[in-house]
Amino acid sequence: MNLLHFINAFFGDGAHWHGYNGIPTRVGEHVGYTLQALAIAALIALPVGLVTGHYGRGGNVLAMIAVAGRALPTFGLLVLMTLLVGFGMVNVMTPLVVLAVPPILVTTYEAMRSVDPSPVDAARGMGMSEAGVLFQVELPAALPLILGGLRSGAIQIVSTATIAAYVSLGGLGRYIVDGLYQRDYEKVVGGATLVAGLALVTLAVFWALGRFAVSRGVRQRA
Amino acid sequence: MFGVLIRIDSVTKRYPDGTVAVDRLSLEIPDRSITVLVGPSGCGKTTTLRMINRMVEPTEGTILLDGQDILQQPVNTLRRSMGYVIQNAGLFQHRTILDNIATVPRLLGWGKDRARGRARELMERVGLDAALAKRYPYQLSGGQQQRVGVARALAADPPVLLMDEPFSAVDPVVRKGLQDELLRIQAELGKTIVFVTHDIDEAVKLGTMVAVLRTGGRLAQYAPPAELLSAPADAFVEDFLGADRGIRRLSFFPATGLALLTTPIVAVDATAEQIAARATGEAPYLLVTDLDGRPLGWSEPHELTAGSIDPGRLLSHGRPFVPGTDSLRAALDCAVLSPTGWAVAVGADGRATGVVSQQTIAEAIRGAHAAVPTDAPAPHSLAKGGPADAKVAG
Ligand SMILES: Nc1ncnc2c1ncn2[C@@H]1O[C@H](COP(=O)(O)OP(=O)(O)O)[C@@H](O)[C@H]1O
Ligand SMILES: [Mg+2]
C-alpha cells in the first residue's frame, strides 16, 4: 500500500512533469546515456564477436575477457574513473560499456558458432566470398541470438545508468540519489519505477526489432 | 564416348592430423555423363569430391578441368562454374525458395529480376510447383528441399555438377523419384555430374561410370556398372556389390529379344471354339484379356466356360513387363512373381503382346551371358548411360 501511495504521489505531483528536473527531461537523459553506451558497446563487441565466431577462433580469449568484464565492479570503476579524469561523461560511459560488452560479445560469438554448418558449406561451395558467407548466410541465421545479446546488454545499461547521478550528471538516477539524500522516498520510488518502466520498453523495442529484422524463415524455426 | 572433362591425376590428400583420406587416386571423368564415387563410409569420397572444387586442397597430384589445372583460375570463379549439392540440401533458411535458387546468378552479377526469372525456370525443370516460390525452406518436405538444392546448383547453368550423397537423407520412395528426375535432367541438359554415394544400388542405377573406393582412399575399380557387376576386380568389390549382383546385372540386358508366345491368349468374351483353338498345350494356362486386350489374369483352359468367364476368379498375372523398355531383370521378376511362372508382356498401351515362361527367360539369360565375355563391359549399358530399368521411370 505504501509503495502504491508513493508512486501515486510522485506521478500525481504536477511539479514533477516539467522543468530541468522534470520526468521528460530525466527520461530523455537516461535514454540518451543508454543509447550512447549501447552503441559504443555494440561497436566494440559486434565486429569482434562476428569475426571470431565466423573463423571459430579465439573463443577462449573471449570467454576470459567476458569473465574479467563481469568481475569489474561497475561502481568501483566509476569512482576510479572519476579520480583519474574528474567529473564527466567518459567516466559514466566507461563502466556502462564495460558492463554491456561481455553479453554482446559472448552471445554474438556463440550465435555465429551455432549456425547450421551445411548452408555455410553450400555457400562456400557455390563460390561465395568469405564476407558474403558472413553477412549473407551466417548473420541472418544468427540474428535472433545476437539480438538477444544486445537486449541483455541494453537492459543492464538501462538499469545501471542511474550511476550517472553520482557524478553530478542527470538521468533517472537523480531522483534516486537526491531522494535518498533528502529522505524523499516518494522520489526514490518514482525514480525506480521509471527505471523499471524503461527496462520494459527496452524489451518491447527488441521484440519489435526481432519481428522486423529477422527473416520469417529463421524466426519460424527458432 | 565423350571427351574427358575432369582428370584427377595421382592425387593424395593427407589431413593435418596425418589421416590419408585419398591415396594416389587417378580418375578420368568423362564429359556429359554421371560418374559415381562409391564406397564404404570414410573411404575418401567426400574428400575427393571437395578437391574438385577446391574446398579441400590436395597434398599431392593435380586436377585438370578441361585440360587446365584447377589452381589456375580464382577459386570462386572455379566454384561458380560447378554446381554443388550436399546431403541436407544446405538451403538458406532466411531466403525464399526463389531467392535460394537465384543465389549463384546473383553472385555472378545478374539483376534481381533476371535471376528470379531464371530461378522460376529451374523450379519447373526440377519438378517443383511454382506455388512454392515464395515459401521458406522450413515449409518444404525433405524431398522438395533436395530438389531446391539441385535447382540452386543448376541455376547458373554450370557444365559440372558435384553431388555429395544428395539423396541419402530422404525416404526410399522419394529417393527413387529424385534419382529418376536426375537421370531425366542429365539426359536433357548433358551436364557432367560427379555423384558421391555409399549406396551401391544408387551407383549402379545412376552411374555411366562407377569408381569403387576402398578404405584408405584407394581406387578398387573404375568401370561401367554392367562391367562392375559382371567382373568385379577383387574380393572387396565383389563383397561390396552384395549377394544378388547376378540378378542385378540382368538390368543391363534388354528384354527385346525374348521369344513371346501369342497363342495362349483369349479375350474375356471368347467362344468355346476360340478357347479350344488357343489351348494348344504350348502353355498350361491361358491368359484372359479384357475386350481391349489388356491382361486380366490366368486360368487353366478347362476352367474357362465360354460366355461366363468371371475375371474375379482368375489367377493374378502380376506386374507385366514392356519388352521394348524393360530389362531381362524385369521380365524375370514378372515370371517369378506370377503364380503360373509365366510373365506377361504388354505394349506401351498396356495391351498384352505375348506371354513367356521362366524357362524361356532363363535361356535368354544364358544366351546374353554367352554373348558378353565376363571380363569385358556389356556394350548395351554404356550406350544407354544406365541400366534399362532406370530409363523407364523418368
Ligand atoms: N578435416 C578433416 N581432418 C581430418 N581427417 C578428416 C577430415 N575430413 C575427413 N577426414 C578423414 O578422412 C577420411 C575420409 O573422409 P571422407 O572423405 O569424408 O569419407 P567419405 O565421404 O567417403 O565418408 C576419414 O577417415 C575421415 O575421418
Ligand atoms: Mg562423405
Side-chain angles (χ1 to χ4, degrees):
Chain A
M1 291 307 115
N2 242 350
L3 203 60
L4 282 180
H5 168 76
F6 282 138
I7 291 173
N8 265 331
F10 180 78
F11 289 102
D13 185 345
H16 285 143
W17 287 97
H18 36 76
Y20 75 94
N21 198 26
I23 293 172
T25 313
R26 293 302 182 208
V27 168
E29 287 165 349
H30 202 94
V31 169
Y33 301 154
T34 301
L35 288 179
Q36 204 178 332
L38 185 64
I40 296 171
L43 232 53
I44 297 167
L46 280 183
V48 176
L50 287 175
V51 171
T52 50
H54 171 76
Y55 289 107
R57 301 231 175 85
N60 292 338
V61 177
L62 283 195
M64 272 160 58
I65 293 173
V67 170
R70 283 186 182 126
L72 278 181
T74 306
F75 198 70
L77 203 56
L78 180 76
V79 174
L80 185 69
M81 291 298 294
T82 309
L83 290 176
L84 286 176
V85 299
F87 288 83
M89 205 54 174
V90 181
N91 49 22
V92 177
M93 279 304 138
T94 309
L96 291 183
V97 169
V98 167
L99 191 66
V101 162
I104 301 175
L105 191 57
V106 172
T107 321
T108 304
Y109 176 83
E110 293 296 338
M112 293 293 279
R113 296 308 300 151
S114 68
V115 169
D116 178 3
S118 48
V120 175
D121 185 60
R124 282 209 181 95
M126 284 187 285
M128 202 179 268
S129 64
E130 284 306 303
V133 170
L134 200 167
F135 289 109
Q136 292 174 44
V137 180
E138 291 175 313
L139 182 57
L143 200 54
L145 287 176
I146 293 176
L147 283 176
L150 284 168
R151 188 184 58 201
S152 316
I155 296 280
Q156 296 202 28
I157 294 175
V158 163
S159 28
T160 314
T162 48
I163 59 168
Y166 286 106
V167 288
S168 305
L169 287 167
L172 294 171
R174 273 270 62 90
Y175 295 132
I176 298 171
V177 172
D178 295 350
L180 286 172
Y181 182 70
Q182 299 158 0
R183 299 182 177 258
D184 181 351
Y185 296 116
E186 191 182 302
K187 230 180 205 174
V188 176
V189 170
T193 309
L194 284 169
V195 171
L198 267 190
L200 289 179
V201 170
T202 307
L203 285 182
V205 166
F206 273 94
W207 178 83
L209 213 55
R211 302 288 302 177
F212 171 75
V214 178
S215 156
R216 195 154 64 85
V218 173
R219 217 186 311 135
Q220 293 292 331
R221 273 164 54 95
Chain B
M1 54 175 183
F2 297 108
V4 174
L5 189 67
I6 303 170
R7 187 184 303 271
I8 298 177
D9 194 5
S10 194
V11 161
T12 295
K13 176 63 194 182
R14 193 176 299 110
Y15 282 107
D17 66 359
T19 312
V20 177
V22 176
D23 191 8
R24 282 160 296 160
L25 178 72
S26 293
L27 275 185
E28 293 186 346
I29 294 172
D31 201 1
R32 298 167 177 277
S33 58
I34 302 181
T35 298
V36 178
L37 307 178
V38 69
S41 175
C43 70
K45 308 179 292 289
T46 297
T47 302
T48 304
L49 191 79
R50 288 164 68 92
M51 284 194 287
I52 298 174
N53 67 356
R54 294 184 57 192
M55 297 285 280
V56 171
E57 298 288 354
T59 318
E60 280 162 37
T62 49
I63 299 177
L64 304 180
L65 172 68
D66 226 352
Q68 209 199 29
D69 193 326
I70 55 168
L71 296 173
Q72 281 182 2
Q73 52 179 320
V75 64
N76 284 338
T77 312
L78 177 81
R79 289 179 186 165
R80 287 169 200 174
S81 73
M82 297 182 173
Y84 184 53
V85 187
I86 56 178
Q87 184 170 343
N88 295 311
L91 300 184
F92 306 136
Q93 297 294 333
H94 62 287
R95 288 192 185 162
T96 60
I97 299 311
L98 207 60
D99 287 339
N100 261 282
I101 300 174
T103 304
V104 181
R106 295 285 287 149
L107 287 177
L108 291 170
W110 295 26
K112 204 164 208 153
D113 289 340
R114 181 169 165 230
R116 285 189 174 161
R118 173 79 182 140
R120 273 182 219 286
E121 278 172 39
L122 276 151
M123 287 187 70
E124 195 181 326
R125 165 88 59 202
V126 302
L128 281 168
D129 188 345
L132 299 177
K134 288 273 182 288
R135 298 247 182 108
Y136 285 90
Y138 78 92
Q139 294 168 307
L140 267 57
S141 70
Q144 287 172 324
Q145 293 198 22
Q146 212 47 259
R147 278 174 206 265
V148 177
V150 173
R152 185 173 64 176
L154 287 169
D157 205 18
V160 176
L161 213 54
L162 306 178
M163 309 181 82
D164 193 354
E165 311 223 8
F167 308 147
S168 301
V170 294
D171 66 70
V173 175
V174 174
R175 187 183 313 147
K176 182 176 181 307
L178 289 167
Q179 290 167 343
D180 293 337
E181 200 90 351
L182 184 71
L183 285 169
R184 187 180 58 72
I185 290 170
Q186 151 68 12
E188 285 171 14
L189 303 178
K191 299 290 177 197
T192 302
I193 300 178
V194 187
F195 190 104
V196 164
T197 180
H198 61 259
D199 175 358
I200 185 67
D201 288 316
E202 186 166 64
V204 166
K205 174 171 179 178
L206 297 178
T208 315
M209 289 292 284
V210 177
V212 184
L213 300 182
R214 68 169 94 236
T215 313
R218 275 169 304 136
L219 184 64
Q221 188 169 9
Y222 187 40
E227 184 185 331
L228 209 62
L229 291 167
S230 61
D234 57 22
F236 168 79
V237 178
E238 186 165 6
D239 201 41
F240 191 69
L241 287 167
D244 53 352
R245 72 180 169 91
I247 302 285
R248 286 211 304 259
R249 192 181 160 222
L250 296 178
S251 306
F252 294 91
F253 299 112
T256 329
L258 282 176
L260 302 178
L261 294 183
T262 48
T263 326
I265 301 177
V266 294
V268 71
D269 64 347
T271 61
E273 293 77 48
Q274 284 171 326
I275 293 172
R278 295 279 168 172
T280 56
E282 275 180 290
Y285 299 91
L286 289 179
L287 178 72
V288 179
T289 68
D290 66 12
L291 297 178
D292 286 330
R294 291 188 178 78
L296 291 172
W298 294 99
S299 174
E300 287 185 63
H302 66 85
E303 303 241 328
L304 293 175
T305 323
S308 64
I309 297 176
D310 176 7
R313 297 198 36 168
L314 299 172
L315 292 170
S316 145
H317 62 76
R319 194 175 67 93
F321 71 99
V322 184
T325 46
D326 279 340
S327 65
L328 277 183
R329 182 182 179 176
L332 181 64
D333 197 53
C334 299
V336 170
L337 289 178
S338 163
T340 63
W342 285 67
V344 176
V346 294
D349 57 1
R351 294 181 196 196
T353 56
V355 297
V356 59
S357 68
Q358 278 179 12
Q359 204 178 351
T360 309
I361 297 172
E363 276 159 24
I365 291 170
R366 280 195 294 278
H369 283 183
V372 184
T374 46
D375 54 352
H380 167 70
S381 68
L382 254 187
K384 288 278 198 101
D389 284 345
K391 311 308 291 183
V392 187

